[in-house]
Amino acid sequence: MSMTATTEGAAVRPRLRWGLPAYVVLVLVAMTLALVVPKTGYVLNISLQATTYAIAVLGLTIVLGLCGQINLAQAAFFGLGAYAVGIGQTEYGVNFWVCLLLGTCMAAGFGALLGASTLRLGGHYLAMVTISFQQIVTLVLINWIPVTKGPDGVRAIPRPGFLADGSTYLAFCIFMLALLGFLVWKLRDTRLGRAMRAVRDNELAAGVAGIDVYRTKVTAFALSAVLGGIGGALFAGGFSYVSPDQFSFAESVVFLTMVLLGGVASPIGAAIGTGLLILIPEWLRFLKSIPGLYLAIYGAAVILIVLFMPDGIWGFVRNQFDRFKRAAGSVLGGDTLQLSGGGTGSDMVMEVRGLSKHFGGLKAVDEVDLTIRRGGVHALIGPNGSGKTTTLNVLSGLYRATSGTIMLNGRDVTNLPPHARTAAGLGRTFQNIRLWRSMTALENVMVGAERPGNPVGGDSAALLARSRAALAFVGLEDRADEVVANFSYGHQRAVEIARALAGDPALLLLDEPGAGLNSSEKVELRDLLKRISARGLTILIIDHDMTLVSEVAQHITVLNFGRRIADGYSADVLKHPDVIAAYLGTAPDVAA
Ligand code: ADP
Ligand code: MG
């Protein structure tokens, strides 16, 4: 079937045709209400707080929701924006907008710095670093009195002239929230958004697919801080007074609770969570006469929501909604996958000399030479524990070689990180499947197609066509829009291969693709390998199934105890006495 009607948005996330117009109308109605409905100062303040907070919470949608990184310093970024607008205007007479810009840039800078710490830290340590940053900012705000005015805070912060009226200012904040929310919504299905989700779901696979994991995290932190900064700047203009306690660690926790409560996966969740956490305390105000009761009910409500709606309120609503609608028939890509085989360089796609990988005293890979000719299938075999996976991990950059050199397409890649090797033309699958489980099959494959160095990368229509063609090639085009976590083992393998194929690599590394497959799936795999090879893509395959290996591979390299014990044409190698001895002697589980 031919490619028809494949606009990127429609294909990635089934989208309602009236979604955007409805959104615009909704925002216009909200802005009009803000402008014309008479309100008390109290209502105005609550509304201003909710809109400016929601902008900061949107930042957490990016860094935590999309990229999976914890950030317990959002109030600090909020504070940077707020103080920039406060001090800049009152002390230095700088224009509001310039202050907003400066504050946002400052937040972005510190956000990137915080993101940079993810190079060495993750999980709990990252949480601690963000808390430390939060505490430092609080300390500076309190103690750097000549600049920040200390605990007294900054007063009489003006707004721009045309926004001087409170209602007008609120309408403007609603507009900003709507605009930024829309951008965050859009971000999810951009290349960067997919990269962030891939990093969140499986960092290792993201690197191997060609994503610069570190840069992606730094970007997520910086963007999150930008939203924190903008929110804070608007907050300062809204309340005309800022003080350090408004930007404390406790507020960062509130921001985090807001996003978790509403649902991290979507900007809608950010808005819902913020609204609720600002409104619940107001609703419970009548309880304040009984000390403690108010807090207990508030806490219990939050715990109950998080307990029974682990994906947040919006996630819960979406899940209910998804039960009813079944994805409409998707557009098929047809068997149109083009594989260039990495062009027409030298005869050798890969040349490995004296490759070693030691783990302490264990020589997992020991002085191995490997020459892979362009075109055809090269098998790497050997008993369990002989160093096959380790070899592949060193080739793809997950491990650093202890010694030796690796040339890919005539280029020395020995010291490159995984994503750079992928950019240089490497594709691989894993012995234990590593997909991004919360993403659809198509999204998984699209990230593969976005491999830096793949010519199709820049053009979104071509990218989508290629991704669908790769799925069609492995026979899964009709499941493109399903989340891969629900796939059978065999289908997950197929998606993993499609992901690598979509990147149009020069060399495809397959680590035991047949493991765990039933016999009919194995037949399909053999057929698939032959079809890939027929299109000119070079394959290096590890497999235990000697029938499969002898059928598809022209060349075989045999490892035993990390050393190369045989290498050459398949028929010769399989007859080699050392090979027979190694297999019969140490690995009785190998199918002969
Ligand atoms: P194969 O894939 O051929 O079954 P591996 O490459 O997985 O073998 O393992 C080769 C040897 O290296 C094994 O003895 C294994 O225990 C060891 N090894 C693999 N990875 C590591 C690691 N990260 N740290 C320490 N030892 C390892
Ligand atoms: Mg292995």
Side-chain angles (χ1 to χ4, degrees):
M1 200 180 274
S2 66
M3 302 296 305
T4 48
T6 53
T7 62
E8 175 166 9
V12 175
R13 213 168 8 169
R15 198 66 63 70
L16 303 168
R17 212 176 283 273
W18 40 266
L20 185 58
Y23 184 67
V24 172
V25 169
L26 191 76
V27 173
L28 287 177
V29 168
M31 288 173 67
T32 314
L33 285 180
L35 281 173
V36 301
V37 175
K39 47 197 149 324
T40 59
Y42 168 72
V43 170
L44 181 67
N45 279 352
I46 293 275
S47 312
L48 273 176
Q49 194 191 354
T51 36
T52 52
Y53 267 47
I55 292 174
V57 176
L58 279 178
L60 295 178
T61 304
I62 298 178
V63 75
L64 182 65
L66 289 180
C67 202
Q69 307 297 308
I70 193 85
N71 170 8
L72 275 162
Q74 193 66 347
F77 298 117
F78 197 68
L80 288 176
Y83 267 85
V85 162
I87 300 170
Q89 290 191 101
T90 58
E91 291 294 304
Y92 302 100
V94 180
N95 175 282
F96 177 90
W97 303 108
V98 176
C99 291
L100 185 145
L101 195 70
L102 286 177
T104 305
C105 290
M106 201 156 67
F110 281 111
L113 208 64
L114 210 55
S117 71
T118 61
L119 182 61
R120 304 240 171 272
L121 304 171
H124 311 313
Y125 296 103
L126 179 61
M128 280 167 57
V129 168
T130 63
I131 292 173
S132 309
F133 174 72
Q134 168 70 54
Q135 302 293 31
I136 291 170
V137 170
T138 300
L139 285 175
V140 169
L141 292 184
I142 294 175
N143 294 308
W144 198 16
I145 295 173
V147 174
T148 66
K149 304 271 183 288
D152 291 344
V154 182
R155 289 166 200 286
I157 304 168
R159 296 173 191 155
F162 74 103
L163 294 176
D165 169 60
S167 294
T168 318
Y169 192 78
L170 176 61
F172 175 72
C173 289
I174 292 175
F175 168 75
M176 287 299 285
L177 172 62
L179 178 70
L180 295 168
F182 178 73
L183 293 178
V184 173
W185 173 271
K186 279 287 174 196
L187 175 66
R188 183 182 182 279
D189 287 324
T190 60
R191 179 178 194 157
L192 178 62
R194 275 188 293 273
M196 286 179 185
R197 288 185 287 148
V199 167
R200 174 195 68 197
D201 278 10
N202 194 317
E203 210 173 303
L204 208 112
V208 167
I211 293 169
D212 189 333
V213 173
Y214 178 54
R215 200 171 65 190
T216 305
K217 287 185 189 172
V218 171
T219 310
F221 266 94
L223 287 179
S224 168
V226 162
L227 288 167
I230 295 176
L234 294 176
F235 175 87
F239 289 88
S240 77
Y241 167 68
V242 294
S243 65
D245 55 308
Q246 293 166 324
F247 313 108
S248 64
F249 173 64
E251 288 307 304
S252 277
V253 175
V254 168
F255 282 132
L256 196 67
T257 315
M258 284 170 170
V259 78
L260 291 175
L261 197 67
V264 284
S266 156
I268 299 173
I272 294 176
T274 310
L276 267 187
L277 270 205
I278 287 179
L279 286 178
I280 291 178
E282 302 304 325
W283 292 335
L284 295 177
R285 204 167 262 280
F286 69 95
L287 292 172
K288 282 214 165 148
S289 50
I290 312 164
L293 183 61
Y294 149 76
L295 274 180
I297 292 185
Y298 175 59
V302 170
I303 289 174
L304 284 178
I305 296 176
V306 171
L307 210 59
F308 290 105
M309 303 177 186
D311 297 326
I313 294 169
W314 180 243
F316 179 77
V317 173
R318 267 201 84 94
N319 290 344
Q320 303 304 316
F321 187 66
D322 284 349
R323 278 200 203 162
F324 290 104
K325 76 167 206 301
R326 206 48 254 152
S330 53
V331 185
L332 303 188
D335 192 5
T336 55
L337 184 69
Q338 304 281 327
L339 294 172
S340 66
T344 51
S346 70
D347 276 356
M348 308 305 167
V349 178
M350 181 170 264
E351 289 192 86
V352 176
R353 292 286 159 264
L355 191 72
S356 294
K357 177 65 194 173
H358 299 174
F359 295 110
L362 175 75
K363 297 181 175 175
V365 179
D366 191 11
E367 296 283 329
V368 167
D369 291 341
L370 188 62
T371 301
I372 302 173
R373 292 178 177 284
R374 194 176 300 278
V377 179
H378 193 128
L380 184 64
I381 66 172
N384 274 325
S386 57
K388 306 182 296 295
T389 295
T390 305
T391 303
L392 229 59
N393 285 342
V394 178
L395 294 184
S396 57
L398 296 179
Y399 294 158
R400 223 174 189 354
T402 307
S403 63
T405 56
I406 304 164
M407 307 288 287
L408 176 65
N409 255 347
R411 182 167 161 216
D412 187 347
V413 299
T414 315
N415 294 312
L416 295 183
H419 65 89
R421 294 193 201 199
T422 303
L426 218 53
R428 83 166 276 187
T429 65
F430 295 89
Q431 186 169 351
N432 316 308
I433 297 170
R434 288 177 181 273
L435 289 172
W436 302 301
R437 294 175 58 82
S438 68
M439 294 165 69
T440 65
L442 184 64
E443 287 172 334
N444 268 277
V445 176
M446 280 177 84
V447 173
E450 282 166 329
R451 177 180 78 83
N454 186 5
V456 89
D459 172 359
S460 67
L463 185 79
L464 200 61
R466 179 163 187 90
S467 307
R468 289 197 175 275
L471 275 176
F473 192 77
V474 301
L476 284 177
E477 68 272 42
D478 54 337
R479 301 194 68 184
D481 295 320
E482 289 179 53
V483 171
V484 294
N486 304 328
F487 282 23
S488 71
Y489 197 75
H491 281 177
Q492 292 196 11
R493 279 243 175 266
V495 174
E496 215 189 16
I497 293 175
R499 175 174 74 188
L501 289 178
D504 194 14
L507 173 64
L508 179 60
L509 310 175
L510 301 172
D511 194 353
E512 302 205 23
L517 299 187
N518 63 37
S519 53
S520 70
E521 286 171 336
K522 277 203 177 171
V523 172
E524 282 173 30
L525 174 67
R526 186 193 58 197
D527 172 58
L528 178 63
L529 293 177
K530 285 183 173 168
R531 285 191 292 128
I532 296 172
S533 183
R535 295 197 182 195
L537 176 57
T538 316
I539 297 176
L540 175 66
I541 182 176
I542 297 179
D543 213 285
H544 276 315
D545 185 340
M546 284 307 134
T547 324
L548 178 73
V549 167
S550 58
E551 273 186 64
V552 299
Q554 295 84 47
H555 274 84
I556 299 182
T557 300
V558 188
L559 296 183
N560 198 17
F561 297 113
R563 298 196 73 97
R564 191 179 93 170
I565 58 168
D567 180 80
Y569 289 109
S570 301
D572 304 334
V573 168
L574 290 174
K575 281 186 296 200
H576 198 293
D578 287 353
V579 176
I580 294 168
Y583 268 83
L584 297 182
T586 57
D589 59 334
V590 170

